[in-house]
Amino acid sequence: MIDDSSQNSLTQSRLPKLWLFAAIVLLVILSTVTTYLLHARQTAEAYVQIENRQQLIATSRSELIQAWIASLQTMTEPVVISGPFRLFVVEALTSGEARTVAAQEPYMAEVLAQLVRQNRMHASYVIGDGRVLLTSPEAADPGDRVFDLASQVIRSGSPATGPVRTADDGRLVIDVLRPLNALENRQGQAPTVAALVLTAPISPVIEQSFARRENDPQGEVTMLLQHRNVDQWRVATAAAADSLKPIGAVVEANFPDQVGLAARNSLLGGNPVLSVSVPIKDTPWSIVQEIDQEIALRDLRRTQWVTITIASLVTLALSGALVALWFSQANTRNRTMVNQYRLMASKIEARSRLLVNVTSAIEEWIGFKKSDGTYSYINRAFAAAVGRSADELVGMTDQDIFGAGVGERLTALDRIVFDRGNTGAVEMTATIGERLRHLIVSKVALSNEDNTQRGIITVMRDVTEQHEQRQRYESAMEGSIQALTRTLELTDPFIAGHSRLVAQIAVAVGTKMALPPEDIASLRIAGNLSDIGKAFIPKEILTKPGALTAQEIAVMRQHVTLSDKILEGIDFGLPVRGIVAQIRERLDGSGYPKGLQGEQIHPLSQVLAVCDVFAALIRPRSYRSAMPLDQALSILQQEQSKFSSTVTQALTDIVQTPSGKALVERVLESVKPLAEA
């Protein structure tokens, strides 16, 4: 028999084993749960980054297509508002006027021919009463769908955009329709009687706008998706911009709406993709942005395998430490204090190795500096980034690694963190190797128990890719602005020269007034685009040497509304459209188009209003010569009820200094059109 003392001894010997087993099981469970949660977080962050990029590209290209369609609509404005042309259309629809119509038809056909030739379009038609009233030369039958759209435009009195179709010469084209109104009757009404159709080639737009850029990842494609309610699901890409590919049941039912990132079958077939869809307003199209799922998630898979490996190694190391501890306790109860200290040192060393292994797998640059400013530890990511081995960097300072400029900034941040006794972070740029990098630097001060400085931990995150992505978006927006400015310049170089002059003077005035950078950027963009609507005002009105009639003034003032239509839907990230819409308003309410007064007018519109009048006065017109700078300033100062005295004074301060006067004269010379040169 086993007595009670033996039984108690046996039970006591089993208890440590049970605790050891329970601790290892708990460690495995904790490691598994932690790894799962970390995987979920990494996956969510990866999908957010992919969605942000795909959504940004799809939205910007959708806005680019909208701006192009708006420009097509604007091209037809001179024809749509032309009184003789509208009268001809009414006569063509009225019985008993055959002789008059036949006499005018060649001239009106030439109007459409010029519209097509000057803008490099495919064809143009006038459709009313279910028939073609007038066409540009060599124009083929537009087809039943165009007739249906024309009927819809006549009923609603609103513009419309037709689907992509294949023209008679095999090119892809779209039809942009504008309502044609009769002349106003005695009651001031002008009913819609016909539709003007402008057929434009879309293949060059698809090829240029959707083309793959140099820095775009492999497997990324932009597509124009035409909805099935037009004909059937069809898709066009930059690689096949001359054809619409039928795709049938591949498209999911919710693709016409704006949808977020999700795994789907590619519209072009092949591997599964991650895609987003953004509809193009008032068209039967959506922009679909795809990226190959395997390529998009490649870095995530690699990171997750690294995480699993690290978690497994940590679990094994800690389990081994627990087992070793159990054996050590069972076999060394009677060892000396020296052996206990040796075991403690072994544990500390194991933990240090574990910390090194974990930090080596992290992408951030991590380093520990001693109080004398030299590094005693640097992880692999840090060493790889500066192109040296970790052993070589130990003992170096920031100045040794990064050079004097960057090193001094990092050392200055060290002093701030030590003085405050807490953490600190700063965003900075540094040339590392041969590349300019954008870094977010975080620091944590460490102190001994007696509050003496022990060292500092530095963590750097490389955000160069995010910074460059933001710059690419800004570059794309700047390209859109330049494209609109080039459109204006090709139409009338004098108007474009005036807009550039207004923009540059406004930037100088804004700088003089110490406006913030975003206001300076708004002045530059709005100034360049301030007169873009004048490109569609008849030239005989723009260049008329004498006074304008009341009707001509009304036509001229339409340029503000035309500018607003062109800029509609373009996301500048700044209040550009609203500023342009109020440039012609005056503080006393005498301006147009809305007659706003005082604080109802945007402050930046007040700046541009002064600069616009000043720029107009110091350049010659068809009915007068250019005024001297001092005389132009005197006129502005006499009109203080209309213009901001603060802005006028800032402009005066600039012009009345030798350097400011020279600046204005240089700008004036740089925008001088050929007719003045």
Side-chain angles (χ1 to χ4, degrees):
M1 294 182 60
I2 301 176
D3 57 17
D4 292 340
S5 60
S6 300
Q7 184 68 33
N8 291 337
S9 177
L10 181 59
T11 302
Q12 292 176 357
S13 66
R14 289 177 179 176
L15 283 176
K17 294 181 180 180
L18 293 176
W19 280 110
L20 177 62
F21 179 75
I24 293 176
V25 170
L26 182 61
L27 182 61
V28 171
I29 293 174
L30 181 62
S31 175
T32 302
V33 172
T34 302
T35 303
Y36 173 79
L37 294 176
L38 187 58
H39 278 199
R41 178 182 177 184
Q42 292 170 341
T43 301
E45 290 177 349
Y47 271 84
V48 168
Q49 292 177 359
I50 295 171
E51 181 171 20
N52 287 343
R53 172 180 171 80
Q54 302 305 302
Q55 196 75 37
L56 175 64
I57 296 174
T59 300
S60 64
R61 290 175 178 172
S62 170
E63 292 173 349
L64 186 61
I65 295 294
Q66 291 179 37
W68 175 67
I69 293 174
S71 69
L72 295 179
Q73 294 278 7
T74 306
M75 288 177 188
T76 65
E77 192 71 20
V79 177
V80 171
I81 67 175
S82 171
F85 195 87
R86 293 158 63 189
L87 180 59
F88 167 79
V89 172
V90 173
E91 291 177 348
L93 289 168
T94 305
S95 60
E97 300 290 343
R99 182 177 301 174
T100 303
V101 171
Q104 295 180 352
E105 184 171 351
Y107 301 102
M108 298 306 166
E110 179 60 24
V111 172
L112 294 187
Q114 289 183 5
L115 177 64
V116 172
R117 285 196 305 269
Q118 291 177 358
N119 298 290
R120 298 180 180 179
M121 296 291 102
H122 184 75
S124 183
Y125 312 84
V126 176
I127 298 176
D129 196 19
R131 55 195 173 96
V132 176
L133 304 178
L134 189 66
T135 68
S136 59
E138 301 179 359
D141 183 3
D144 294 339
R145 187 172 296 279
V146 177
F147 279 100
D148 294 340
L149 281 174
S151 299
Q152 174 186 330
V153 169
I154 294 171
R155 287 194 304 270
S156 65
S158 301
T161 303
V164 180
R165 61 183 177 88
T166 304
D168 55 310
D169 60 357
R171 291 193 299 172
L172 293 184
V173 298
I174 67 166
D175 301 291
V176 175
L177 293 85
R178 289 287 303 275
L180 273 172
N181 298 332
L183 298 178
E184 294 182 356
N185 55 28
R186 294 180 179 178
Q187 289 75 32
Q189 299 174 340
T192 301
V193 295
L196 175 65
V197 183
L198 183 62
T199 304
I202 194 174
S203 298
V205 177
I206 295 174
E207 185 174 0
Q208 295 174 12
S209 302
F210 296 175
R212 185 176 178 273
R213 306 299 191 270
E214 181 179 354
N215 295 325
D216 291 346
Q218 294 292 333
E220 191 173 62
V221 180
T222 303
M223 288 166 283
L224 180 71
L225 175 65
Q226 185 154 279
H227 302 168
R228 63 182 174 187
N229 55 5
V230 175
D231 181 11
Q232 60 175 317
W233 291 111
R234 293 178 180 271
V235 69
T237 65
D242 292 327
S243 64
L244 273 178
K245 177 183 177 183
I247 52 177
V250 177
V251 184
E252 299 180 11
N254 61 346
F255 247 127
D257 301 323
Q258 182 165 355
V259 293
L261 187 75
R264 300 182 177 90
N265 294 325
S266 173
L267 299 185
L268 303 176
N271 297 332
V273 297
L274 297 175
S275 64
V276 298
S277 171
V278 175
I280 302 177
K281 184 180 179 182
D282 297 329
T283 71
W285 313 320
S286 293
I287 296 295
V288 177
Q289 184 72 19
E290 289 186 355
I291 184 170
D292 185 281
Q293 184 174 359
E294 182 63 29
I295 295 175
L297 300 179
R298 184 179 297 161
D299 291 341
L300 174 63
R301 304 292 186 234
R302 187 182 298 114
T303 301
Q304 289 179 338
W305 275 111
V306 170
T307 303
I308 292 173
T309 302
I310 293 174
S312 300
L313 292 175
V314 170
T315 302
L316 290 174
L318 293 178
S319 299
L322 289 174
V323 173
L325 179 62
W326 182 82
F327 278 109
S328 176
Q329 289 177 343
N331 297 324
T332 60
R333 291 178 181 177
N334 297 322
R335 290 183 182 178
T336 62
M337 187 66 69
V338 175
N339 288 334
Q340 293 180 4
Y341 278 117
R342 184 180 301 155
L343 178 60
M344 184 180 299
S346 177
K347 292 179 185 179
I348 294 174
E349 183 179 357
R351 292 174 182 174
S352 299
R353 286 197 302 269
L354 178 62
L355 178 62
V356 170
N357 290 336
V358 172
T359 57
S360 296
I362 295 176
E363 295 181 355
E364 282 76 9
W365 310 353
I366 300 176
F368 176 74
K369 281 192 294 187
K370 297 184 292 186
S371 58
D372 62 358
T374 61
Y375 283 93
S376 61
Y377 170 75
I378 283 179
N379 73 340
R380 294 177 184 174
F382 196 153
V386 299
R388 299 184 181 182
S389 68
D391 293 339
E392 182 182 359
L393 295 173
V394 171
M396 289 187 176
T397 65
D398 286 322
Q399 286 81 355
D400 299 331
I401 298 173
F402 298 104
V406 177
E408 290 173 0
R409 282 185 284 168
L410 291 173
T411 303
L413 183 59
D414 290 346
R415 289 194 293 269
I416 294 174
V417 173
F418 272 130
D419 292 342
R420 296 177 180 175
N422 56 10
T423 61
V426 68
E427 186 171 353
M428 62 186 297
T429 59
T431 301
I432 300 176
E434 297 182 354
R435 184 182 180 189
L436 181 65
R437 295 179 181 267
H438 296 262
L439 305 173
I440 296 178
V441 182
S442 302
K443 292 181 176 288
V444 179
L446 299 179
S447 302
N448 296 314
E449 293 181 357
D450 58 357
N451 291 327
T452 58
Q453 296 178 358
R454 179 182 176 188
I456 194 164
I457 297 175
T458 300
V459 180
M460 302 184 190
R461 178 185 292 272
D462 188 350
V463 294
T464 305
E465 182 177 352
Q466 295 90 321
H467 180 81
E468 292 175 347
Q469 182 175 343
R470 184 172 66 249
Q471 285 186 325
R472 286 194 293 270
Y473 175 79
E474 294 173 353
S475 176
M477 183 56 67
E478 183 67 25
S480 299
I481 296 170
Q482 292 176 1
L484 291 174
T485 305
R486 285 196 298 272
T487 300
L488 177 62
E489 200 165 40
L490 291 173
T491 304
D492 192 330
F494 185 86
I495 296 176
H498 174 75
S499 298
R500 293 200 306 274
L501 177 60
V502 171
Q504 295 187 54
I505 294 176
V507 168
V509 171
T511 304
K512 179 70 176 178
M513 296 173 65
L515 298 181
E518 58 269 20
D519 286 354
I520 300 294
S522 297
L523 288 173
R524 176 176 57 80
I525 297 172
N528 276 307
L529 300 177
S530 59
D531 279 340
I532 193 169
K534 285 187 178 179
F536 306 100
I537 300 299
K539 285 190 176 181
E540 58 268 19
I541 295 179
L542 287 174
T543 59
K544 184 176 179 179
L548 299 179
T549 66
Q551 185 178 3
E552 289 171 336
I553 291 174
V555 174
M556 171 67 80
R557 289 188 172 184
Q558 289 178 0
H559 75 89
V560 178
T561 303
L562 293 173
S563 296
D564 189 63
K565 287 183 179 180
I566 293 171
L567 301 180
E568 182 180 5
I570 302 178
D571 182 12
F572 294 97
L574 296 167
V576 173
R577 182 185 172 196
I579 296 170
V580 171
Q582 297 180 6
I583 291 178
R584 305 295 175 175
E585 302 287 359
R586 298 294 180 257
L587 296 179
D588 60 359
S590 62
Y592 63 92
K594 295 183 178 181
L596 302 179
Q597 298 181 11
E599 295 182 356
Q600 293 177 323
I601 305 173
H602 196 287
L604 298 185
S605 297
Q606 298 180 34
V607 174
L608 283 174
V610 172
C611 298
D612 177 66
V613 173
F614 180 72
L617 292 174
I618 64 177
R619 298 186 76 196
R621 289 292 187 267
S622 58
Y623 51 87
R624 63 161 174 80
S625 59
M627 291 185 184
L629 302 183
D630 293 339
Q631 183 180 354
L633 285 174
S634 177
I635 291 176
L636 285 171
Q637 291 165 353
Q638 294 171 11
E639 296 287 349
Q640 291 193 10
S641 63
K642 296 183 179 181
F643 302 105
S644 166
S645 58
T646 302
V647 178
T648 303
Q649 186 60 50
L651 177 60
T652 302
D653 293 343
I654 293 174
V655 175
Q656 289 184 344
T657 62
S659 60
K661 185 175 182 180
L663 171 64
V664 173
E665 291 176 346
R666 282 199 307 273
V667 173
L668 186 61
E669 183 67 25
S670 69
V671 301
K672 181 182 293 184
L674 294 176
E676 298 178 44

